[in-house]
Amino acid sequence: MPRDQDDKLAQTEHDQYHSAVYAAAGEAQMSFTPINQIHQHLCGLHIYSHDPTRAVKAHHYCTHLRKDLHQCVIYDSDDKNARLIGIEYLIPEDVFINLPEDEKKYWHSHKYEVDSGMLMLGTKSLVPNAMTDVAERPAMLELHRTYGKTTHTWAFDQHPDLPLGPPQIMMAYTEDSQVDQALLAERDREMGVDTSTKRETRKGYLIKDNLERPPAEGADQIWSKGRKGQLEWVEQE
């Protein structure tokens, strides 16, 4: 039968929920198979689709679900208490080109992020930058002509304590003049990297045609067409 509010055993059992012992028991008893498929950490900057003056750091933890589809969970940092702020799906250019035209407004290109050195692998602190640069080659060759659809559910730059407000469609930078250089410098200090050095390194191994050819038509509409948008609640009958 239901127990009273002041039942001592119920209180004791409830208190266990936030204990390290209970967490350890959960790890031992439960399966985390989908999460365990994550094998890549990417770090970049995202901008809000309705306000490109607002940018945030985004740590992506990604699974390659298929050759033509990455899926990533996004955190605000790589700390153990990082906030889960969103998700991103990545597809190659041939898939993007064949999307319905009205769908393309939600997607951004990764060309500039790769060209500029902004998008990087988040390797462990003891891994030398030179080794990271080598590890990045296959990843950046793959990601160079991909497109992302990103939704952030926590606007932590405005609401640090709780995920308030509607989900937000996020976009990416496409040229140097758009970039929040202070935020990028902060990211570089935190990760122990230099974006400008990565830019020069990548010029030596990215495919020339991919460097010179602009992103596919229909991506990055916040920049190419000046289209800004935001998700909102629409009442239904």
Side-chain angles (χ1 to χ4, degrees):
M1 61 181 296
R3 293 178 285 186
D4 294 333
Q5 183 71 27
D6 58 356
D7 184 283
K8 298 298 185 183
L9 179 58
Q11 291 177 2
T12 299
E13 290 174 340
H14 191 174
D15 290 343
Q16 290 176 0
Y17 185 79
H18 295 286
S19 70
V21 172
Y22 187 79
E27 290 180 11
Q29 296 176 31
M30 289 180 254
S31 169
F32 299 92
T33 301
I35 295 173
N36 291 339
Q37 306 315 301
I38 292 173
H39 66 278
Q40 187 174 66
H41 173 196
L42 297 165
C43 184
L45 304 182
H46 286 164
I47 58 172
Y48 289 86
S49 62
H50 69 288
D51 183 1
T53 66
R54 288 172 59 196
V56 295
K57 289 170 284 187
H59 290 261
H60 310 59
Y61 293 86
C62 303
T63 301
H64 299 169
L65 193 63
R66 303 191 304 264
K67 188 173 182 179
D68 63 351
L69 180 63
H70 295 57
Q71 56 183 21
C72 309
V73 289
I74 304 173
Y75 291 82
D76 69 322
S77 75
D78 60 352
D79 296 333
K80 66 178 183 178
N81 293 321
R83 290 168 286 201
L84 175 62
I85 61 172
I87 57 172
E88 180 167 359
Y89 303 102
L90 290 78
I91 57 175
E93 190 164 75
D94 59 335
V95 176
F96 173 79
I97 289 171
N98 288 298
L99 292 177
E101 289 304 312
D102 191 54
E103 169 67 20
K104 292 179 180 178
K105 65 178 178 286
Y106 300 115
W107 296 77
H108 61 269
S109 67
H110 294 126
K111 180 184 182 302
Y112 172 78
E113 292 186 276
V114 173
D115 288 353
S116 66
M118 180 183 296
L119 187 64
M120 55 166 284
L121 289 184
T123 53
K124 296 178 180 179
S125 59
L126 294 178
V127 177
N129 285 340
M131 188 176 295
T132 299
D133 288 338
V134 172
E136 283 183 342
R137 289 186 175 216
M140 297 306 145
L141 286 164
E142 173 72 17
L143 296 172
H144 200 186
R145 303 301 303 197
T146 60
Y147 297 78
K149 183 179 187 179
T150 305
T151 304
H152 281 198
T153 53
W154 192 338
F156 67 94
D157 56 327
Q158 290 191 340
H159 306 289
D161 296 324
L162 287 171
L164 305 180
Q168 306 281 348
I169 296 294
M170 306 299 285
M171 292 290 161
Y173 293 124
T174 59
E175 61 179 53
D176 290 344
S177 63
Q178 302 160 355
V179 177
D180 183 334
Q181 295 294 341
L183 185 64
L184 181 60
E186 180 180 293
R187 190 287 303 267
D188 282 5
R189 287 193 300 272
E190 291 175 353
M191 303 295 288
V193 300
D194 182 74
T195 292
S196 60
T197 299
K198 286 186 177 294
R199 182 197 294 254
E200 294 305 311
T201 299
R202 291 176 186 178
K203 287 178 181 178
Y205 68 79
L206 292 173
I207 304 302
K208 182 179 179 182
D209 178 65
N210 290 340
L211 281 165
E212 296 176 350
R213 184 163 48 90
E217 179 70 25
D220 309 308
Q221 292 190 22
I222 189 173
W223 302 117
S224 62
K225 298 183 179 181
R227 297 185 70 181
K228 300 178 182 179
Q230 184 177 15
L231 299 178
E232 62 179 17
W233 180 276
V234 178
E235 293 287 348
Q236 302 291 322
E237 293 293 335

